[in-house]
Amino acid sequence: MSPQLLTRRVRVLAAPGDRHDEILTPAALDFIGALTTAFHQRRHDLFRERRRQAIRLAAGSPLDFPLVTERIRRDPDWRVAPAAPGLTDRRVEITGPPERRTTVDALNSGAQVWLADFEDATAPTWANVIEGQINLLDAIERRIDFTTPQGKQYQLATDRPLATIVVRPRGWHLDEEHLEFDGHQVPAALVDFGLYFFHCAQRQIDAGHGPYFYLPKLENRYEARLWNDVFVLAQELLGIPRGTVRATVLIETITAAFEMEEILYELREHGAGLNAGRWDYLFSLIKTFGHRTDFLLPDRAQVTMTAPFMHAYTELLVRTCHKRGAHAIGSMAAQVPDKDPEAHAAALATVRLDKEREAEDGFDGSWVAHPALVPVCREVFDGVLGDRPHQLDRTRDDVEVTPAHLLAVRRVSGPPTGDGVRTNISIALRYFAAWLRGQGAVTVNGLMEDAATAEIARVQIWQWLRHRVVDRETVLRVLDDELDALIAEYPFAPPEDIRGLFERTALAAELPLFFTSDAYSRHLVRTTEPQS
C-alpha cells in the first residue's frame, strides 16, 4: 500500500465488541484511510453538485438526457465487462441484512444471488455494521451457523450451490460517525465497501467468485465515475487485477434515470447491470419535483410499475442494459408467508403476476425478500428463459422513451384517500420504531419493509400537506391515533423519539433529504473513548 496515502490512521470512536478486532485490524483501517484520503474531497464536491442540481430543477430547469454525452449514447460499440463468475445467471436474487440467521437463510434459499444489504435493510448501529462484516467473512469461510433460543439450528447447505454474495454499501450521503480520519467522519460507503473488500475480495476470488457490489442512490454519471475510481484504487492497493470488481447500479433516483447509459459507461470495466426499484424511485421523484402540482402523486398503492411513467422507466432500463451487455434486474417482491392458506395463496399470485410482467418485458431476473418467494420467481423466469442464463439477446430496439414519458406523472395524479394517509403514517411510525431499536428489515402488514418504504411514506405526507390536499389537523389526529396503537402493541417503543422523527421528517416546511441522516445522528450513535 502506498505510504503517501497513509498519513494518519483511522480512529475508532466506539467500545470494542466481540470479534471486532478481526475486522478492525490496523491494516484494514489503513486501507479505509487510503480510500478516504483519495476520495473524501471528491465526494464533498459531488454533494455540492447535488445541491446545485436540486436548485436548478426547483427553479424550473428542464430535466433531459444530457446533451454533452450524446456521443456516448450514440456510440453503438461499447459494452460493459463480461459477466463474472456467479453473475451470469441472476434470475432470482434475494435481499436482506447481513444478520447471522438471514445470511444462512439467504445463501441456502436457492436464489442465484444474495444482496447483503448494509443500506436500506440495515439500521446502521455500530454493532450491526461490524457484525455484518463478521458474518460475511464467516459465510465465505463456510463457518457460519446460528442456533435459535428454542434450539433450532441453521447451517450452510453442503448438497447444493449457495447464492453468490453481492454487497450493498450505504449511500454516498451517509457518514460513519464511529470512525474518524484526519478530523472528519469517514464516508459510510467507504467503510462498508472497504472492510468487505479488504477482508473478502481475495477470499471470494479464491472461492471462484469475486468482490461484487450493488451501488445505491447514485444521482448522476459523476457519482458512478467516483465509484469506478474507488474500485481501481482498491484493486491496485491490494494487488487484485483491475476489472475484478463487478457493480450493479440501482436506478432509484429520477436524475439517474436520465443517465443510465452514462452510468454504465463510467463503470463499464466493472459494470454488471442495472436494477429498477419502486419506492426509492418515487421517493426521489417527490424530493425533486414535490413542490410542483403536476407531480402530485396519489396513494402509493395506486402507483404500480404499470403506471405510464414507471413503465417508461423500466422499458428504458431493459433496453439500456441489453444494448450494452448488462443484466436488467427487476424490483422487489416484499410479501412474506402468511399462516392463513388463502392469504398466502393470494400473496403468491400477486408475486407471480409481477414477475411475469418483468420476465415478459425482458428483465433477466428479479428480487424477492423472503426464501418462500424464490420458487415462484424461479418458475416464472424459467418459463421465459428456459436453459438460457439471461435474455440479453432481446435488445428491445422497439422501445423509444422520451423525457416526457419519464416525467408523465400527471397521468396517474390524484388526491389521496383517508386510507392512504393512515397507511403512510402507520407504516412510517412502525418502521421508525423498529429502526430506532436496530432493525432495518421489518414485517409490516404482511410485507417485508425497509427504509425505502418509510421514506416514500413520510414524503407523501409532506407532499400532500404542501399542496393542501390533506389538512394538518387530519394528519396530527391520525398521528396521535397510530402512535397510541403502536405503543399499545409495543409498550417498549419510545413515543417521543418516534413522534419527533416523524414531525421533523414529514411535517417540516422544508423536506429533509433522508430520515436516516437525522435519526442516525440523534439516536443510533453511541460513542465512547477512542479504541485506537
Side-chain angles (χ1 to χ4, degrees):
M1 198 177 292
S2 177
Q4 65 265 28
L5 290 175
L6 305 177
T7 57
R8 298 172 181 84
R9 174 153 294 166
V10 172
R11 300 173 68 230
V12 181
L13 305 178
D18 183 38
R19 298 184 62 194
H20 283 203
D21 58 331
E22 295 179 37
I23 300 299
L24 300 170
T25 64
L29 293 175
D30 284 348
F31 182 69
I32 298 295
L35 297 179
T36 304
T37 297
F39 301 112
H40 175 77
Q41 185 59 46
R42 274 182 62 187
R43 171 189 178 249
H44 179 72
D45 294 342
L46 287 173
F47 273 2
R48 288 191 300 180
E49 179 53 33
R50 278 191 182 186
R51 290 192 289 271
R52 285 195 292 263
Q53 172 76 325
I55 292 170
R56 287 193 294 266
L57 293 174
S61 294
L63 185 57
D64 204 342
F65 302 120
L67 183 62
V68 295
T69 55
E70 186 175 4
R71 61 173 183 81
I72 291 174
R73 298 193 299 276
R74 288 186 176 276
D75 183 349
D77 296 329
W78 65 268
R79 296 287 186 277
V80 300
L87 292 180
T88 301
D89 187 332
R90 303 177 63 175
R91 68 188 69 197
V92 186
E93 301 194 352
I94 190 168
T95 73
E99 298 167 352
R100 206 155 185 87
R101 175 175 170 176
T102 302
T103 297
V104 176
D105 277 346
L107 292 173
N108 287 343
S109 67
Q112 277 73 27
V113 168
W114 172 43
L115 190 162
D117 189 7
F118 284 94
E119 203 222 9
D120 279 356
T122 293
T125 66
W126 183 239
N128 285 348
V129 169
I130 302 304
E131 287 168 17
Q133 296 285 347
I134 293 169
N135 293 336
L136 290 172
L137 180 59
D138 285 351
I140 295 166
E141 294 285 349
R142 301 294 180 102
R143 64 189 181 207
I144 192 168
D145 56 25
F146 178 81
T147 303
T148 67
Q150 295 75 30
K152 184 176 181 180
Q153 294 185 336
Y154 292 79
Q155 295 178 322
L156 293 181
T158 58
D159 59 345
R160 60 185 183 276
L162 303 179
T164 298
I165 296 173
V166 180
V167 171
R168 174 159 67 165
R170 283 169 285 176
W172 281 126
H173 60 288
L174 294 169
D175 289 313
E176 176 48 71
E177 296 192 22
H178 297 94
L179 293 180
E180 180 184 87
F181 183 75
D182 199 18
H184 302 283
Q185 296 163 3
V186 177
L190 295 182
V191 175
D192 300 339
F193 165 81
L195 291 176
Y196 177 72
F197 191 89
F198 183 84
H199 291 291
C200 299
Q202 189 59 55
R203 285 180 166 93
Q204 285 284 48
I205 294 167
D206 294 343
H209 286 168
Y212 306 145
F213 300 91
Y214 258 106
L215 306 180
K217 294 180 174 58
L218 301 191
E219 296 201 3
N220 54 57
R221 61 193 180 275
Y222 303 111
E223 296 179 15
R225 183 183 301 168
L226 174 58
W227 266 119
N228 195 73
D229 290 346
V230 170
F231 299 154
V232 170
L233 178 60
Q235 291 166 129
E236 176 186 332
L237 291 175
L238 297 191
I240 289 172
R242 180 165 171 160
T244 302
V245 170
R246 288 292 188 276
T248 303
V249 176
L250 296 109
I251 301 298
E252 53 189 354
T253 65
I254 184 63
T255 52
F258 283 79
E259 298 190 29
M260 292 186 198
E261 285 196 77
E262 291 86 347
I263 286 170
L264 283 179
Y265 182 81
E266 295 294 345
L267 287 161
R268 61 194 181 281
E269 65 179 325
H270 301 110
L274 303 177
N275 169 272
R278 183 183 177 191
W279 296 141
D280 265 321
Y281 190 73
L282 295 176
F283 164 49
S284 168
L285 193 77
I286 293 174
K287 283 197 299 182
T288 306
F289 296 113
H291 60 288
R292 289 172 47 174
T293 56
D294 53 334
F295 283 86
L296 182 62
L297 288 171
D299 295 355
R300 59 193 175 89
Q302 298 178 29
V303 188
T304 68
M305 299 300 281
T306 60
F309 75 98
M310 295 296 285
H311 187 59
Y313 148 66
T314 58
E315 290 277 88
L316 180 61
L317 187 143
V318 172
R319 183 182 187 276
T320 300
C321 283
H322 291 184
K323 178 181 178 183
R324 302 305 181 181
H327 284 72
I329 308 299
S331 61
M332 171 78 77
Q335 288 78 359
V336 298
D338 196 293
K339 293 180 180 179
D340 178 75
E342 290 187 6
H344 184 65
L348 291 183
T350 299
V351 173
R352 182 179 295 277
L353 286 173
D354 189 51
K355 301 312 171 190
E356 286 175 348
R357 173 190 56 79
E358 290 179 330
E360 291 165 2
D361 284 350
F363 281 93
D364 304 292
S366 191
W367 281 9
V368 300
H370 194 280
L373 303 183
V374 169
V376 66
C377 186
R378 177 190 290 276
E379 183 181 338
V380 169
F381 275 90
D382 283 351
V384 171
L385 298 179
D387 294 332
R388 297 177 299 157
H390 49 66
Q391 47 185 337
L392 296 182
D393 56 310
R394 287 190 62 194
T395 55
R396 295 306 311 272
D397 295 332
D398 57 304
V399 170
E400 200 167 315
V401 173
T402 68
H405 292 140
L406 291 172
L407 298 174
V409 177
R410 66 187 182 280
R411 296 179 63 185
V412 292
S413 63
T417 66
D419 285 345
V421 173
R422 184 170 294 276
T423 296
N424 276 340
I425 294 174
S426 173
I427 288 180
L429 294 178
R430 288 173 180 273
Y431 187 82
F432 289 168
W435 198 90
L436 291 175
R437 65 176 183 267
Q439 284 182 267
V442 188
T443 301
V444 181
N445 299 333
L447 300 174
M448 185 65 71
E449 307 289 17
D450 63 14
T453 311
E455 293 287 30
I456 182 61
R458 60 104 182 171
V459 299
Q460 278 212 295
I461 296 296
W462 178 88
Q463 186 186 41
W464 294 338
L465 285 171
R466 180 183 177 91
H467 293 289
R468 300 180 181 179
V469 293
V470 173
D471 63 84
R472 192 176 182 88
E473 291 72 22
T474 297
V475 170
L476 291 174
R477 185 177 65 254
V478 175
L479 174 60
D480 289 338
D481 292 346
E482 291 300 323
L483 191 56
D484 287 344
L486 173 64
I487 301 306
E489 189 173 352
Y490 303 107
F492 51 82
E496 295 83 6
D497 291 345
I498 298 167
R499 185 186 187 98
L501 179 56
F502 185 85
E503 290 179 343
R504 291 191 305 274
T505 60
L507 306 186
E510 295 299 321
L511 180 66
L513 296 181
F514 299 95
F515 91 80
T516 49
S517 301
D518 176 287
Y520 176 71
S521 295
R522 289 174 181 266
H523 300 290
L524 291 195
V525 178
R526 299 291 184 269
T527 59
T528 62
E529 289 301 313
Q531 176 183 328
S532 62

